[in-house]
Amino acid sequence: MSTAIRVKVVRFQCPHCSRTHSKKQAAEAHIARCWQNPEARGCKTCRHFMPESEGPYEGHPPISEECLAGRKLLSGPRTECPLWEASRVPCAECQTPIRAGTTYCSSRCRNAGDCHDDMDGDL
């Protein structure tokens, strides 16, 4: 009678998505062009990217991904886009990634960052 043999396998995973590779070189090549890697300046990390969404009513086909800056995404998301802008920026106080267009991640950081310079009595 034969039994199954346990085998351990090493895989290399992209830190930005769940994709894995059997070879380290292949994983590093993927990371350089991963759509979810902000350093690759890809569509899925851009503030202009609008992901696929459901239609406005039941039975409507899904609305495809689009770029609000006007780039065509017919062949899929891109990397190294000259119109790319970060969708996440660091909090001005604690460096936690937050949505672009905001300055602080919480009222606590906002209050800590407020120096009250206008409270010196000369106003």
Side-chain angles (χ1 to χ4, degrees):
M1 173 177 247
S2 297
T3 61
I5 301 171
R6 189 170 102 174
V7 177
K8 290 186 179 184
V9 178
V10 174
R11 301 285 295 176
F12 299 91
Q13 184 175 11
C14 174
H16 307 286
C17 68
S18 59
R19 185 156 185 183
T20 63
H21 300 270
S22 61
K23 296 183 176 159
K24 186 175 182 179
Q25 295 87 351
E28 289 174 351
H30 164 79
I31 291 168
R33 66 178 187 279
C34 180
W35 293 333
Q36 296 179 20
N37 179 0
E39 293 175 8
R41 300 170 63 95
C43 288
K44 294 196 178 191
T45 60
C46 181
R47 70 183 294 180
H48 301 298
F49 180 71
M50 182 67 67
E52 184 176 284
S53 61
E54 294 182 15
Y57 56 87
E58 188 176 328
H60 189 280
I63 299 169
S64 61
E65 299 173 333
E66 65 177 308
C67 175
L68 301 178
R71 298 287 305 241
K72 301 291 183 200
L73 301 179
L74 298 174
S75 61
R78 303 182 146 133
T79 56
E80 300 303 328
C81 178
L83 301 174
W84 183 87
E85 292 181 33
S87 64
R88 311 282 294 167
V89 295
C91 172
E93 183 67 21
C94 70
Q95 304 303 313
T96 301
I98 56 174
R99 184 175 43 87
T102 56
T103 308
Y104 298 103
C105 65
S106 66
S107 58
R108 181 178 179 189
C109 279
R110 184 180 70 238
N111 292 338
D114 186 0
C115 298
H116 300 286
D117 290 336
D118 60 345
M119 303 297 278
D120 57 5
D122 63 350
L123 295 178

